Amino acid sequence: RPRGRCTKAAPTVSLSAPIPFWVYASRDGRLVEVTERYFSPESDRRKDPPSLRVVNLAGADGRIVEDSLLTFPEPTMYLVGHLPRGLVYGVLNPAGRPGQVLLGPNDRIFYGGGDSLAIDEYSLDGTFLQGYRAPHRPLPFTGESADSLLESLGEAFRPAVADIRSQLPDTWPAFKSFVVDDEGRPWVGVIGDRRRSANDWVVFDRSGRILCSAHVPKDTR
């Protein structure tokens, strides 16, 4: 248990809108901001252009110095749409793609969409450096999984059942999360047979080849 009192708060930085989902600090104090457009009552998924996950670079004072340094497809972790009386629904997508962005060592930006077993690495100026790839056969997202999701929803969602079902993917993602270790190597939690109690995490070396793999309890992030 800590003893004594805190001295004073660290400096506070005001960030630009929209509010970022994640903020990472580079070695020189600049900020890597990861933002995303929100779904609103005025949004129309069928008419509006696809939204993006956007990476901005800000100075230490929070002011944007590089707008849209990188843009990636929108994650699909939620199924969203409209209910009667102008309400908006959001349902967790069990087979959603994470669209994860991380800042690794040496100020390298890593991105993994989740559709395939692939991680891309970029420099802090947005230059693509290399990709990490491995073969992966996606598992089908079965009708049984879809039915289980829809049955778990309350009566309020009944008018949206057809819309929710139409958004569900045909396959599970290749992975739901990855991390980067201190040597800049991606560790990726590959989604395997859903009946197993463990998933395989694969580790890439810096050349982009698979270094090793290990069994980790399922749904470990």
Side-chain angles (χ1 to χ4, degrees), residues 119-217:
I119 306 294
D120 291 329
E121 180 180 350
Y122 300 84
S123 66
L124 204 57
D125 64 4
T127 301
F128 174 78
L129 298 176
Q130 69 168 320
Y132 303 82
R133 304 282 188 274
H136 177 74
R137 178 178 294 179
L139 297 173
F141 184 77
T142 64
E144 181 180 350
S145 298
D147 292 342
S148 176
L149 168 67
L150 295 171
E151 289 173 4
S152 69
L153 301 177
E155 285 296 325
F157 289 91
R158 296 304 174 210
V161 163
D163 186 47
I164 293 172
R165 188 181 292 275
S166 71
Q167 296 183 61
L168 291 170
D170 296 325
T171 61
W172 290 94
F175 63 88
K176 282 194 174 180
S177 66
F178 75 95
V179 295
V180 179
D181 66 20
D182 292 342
E183 296 185 23
R185 299 174 300 196
W187 296 48
V188 188
V190 181
I191 294 179
D193 189 333
R194 303 301 292 176
R195 294 169 296 183
R196 290 173 50 197
S197 61
N199 287 336
D200 288 328
W201 277 68
V202 298
V203 183
F204 290 93
D205 65 19
R206 287 296 299 157
S207 69
R209 297 173 297 186
I210 289 183
L211 178 66
C212 62
S213 64
H215 295 302
V216 176

Side-chain angles (χ1 to χ4, degrees), residues 2-212:
R3 296 181 178 180
R5 295 182 299 172
C6 295
T7 53
K8 62 179 180 179
T12 299
V13 176
S14 297
L15 302 175
S16 304
I19 299 172
F21 275 67
W22 297 287
V23 179
Y24 303 109
S26 67
R27 291 179 298 175
D28 63 4
R30 288 181 292 174
L31 304 176
V32 176
E33 302 179 357
V34 185
T35 67
E36 181 184 330
R37 188 180 69 177
Y38 292 92
F39 192 85
S40 70
E42 292 75 31
S43 302
D44 189 328
R45 192 180 63 252
R46 296 174 181 82
K47 295 180 182 179
D48 290 345
S51 57
L52 301 172
R53 175 148 283 177
V54 180
V55 180
N56 298 323
L57 185 63
D61 60 358
R63 297 180 183 178
I64 298 294
V65 295
E66 187 67 46
D67 192 358
S68 301
L69 176 71
L70 293 166
T71 58
F72 302 112
E74 178 189 30
T76 56
M77 295 304 293
Y78 287 90
L79 309 170
V80 294
H82 295 284
L83 289 169
R85 300 187 300 276
L87 299 175
V88 171
Y89 70 79
V91 176
L92 184 65
N93 184 356
R97 276 52 176 169
Q100 188 176 354
V101 180
L102 296 176
L103 184 66
N106 299 318
D107 290 342
R108 298 291 194 255
I109 299 172
F110 291 82
Y111 167 76
D115 270 330
S116 60
L117 188 48
I119 306 294
D120 291 329
E121 180 180 350
Y122 300 84
S123 66
L124 204 57
D125 64 4
T127 301
F128 174 78
L129 298 176
Q130 69 168 320
Y132 303 82
R133 304 282 188 274
H136 177 74
R137 178 178 294 179
L139 297 173
F141 184 77
T142 64
E144 181 180 350
S145 298
D147 292 342
S148 176
L149 168 67
L150 295 171
E151 289 173 4
S152 69
L153 301 177
E155 285 296 325
F157 289 91
R158 296 304 174 210
V161 163
D163 186 47
I164 293 172
R165 188 181 292 275
S166 71
Q167 296 183 61
L168 291 170
D170 296 325
T171 61
W172 290 94
F175 63 88
K176 282 194 174 180
S177 66
F178 75 95
V179 295
V180 179
D181 66 20
D182 292 342
E183 296 185 23
R185 299 174 300 196
W187 296 48
V188 188
V190 181
I191 294 179
D193 189 333
R194 303 301 292 176
R195 294 169 296 183
R196 290 173 50 197
S197 61
N199 287 336
D200 288 328
W201 277 68
V202 298
V203 183
F204 290 93
D205 65 19
R206 287 296 299 157
S207 69
R209 297 173 297 186
I210 289 183
L211 178 66
C212 62

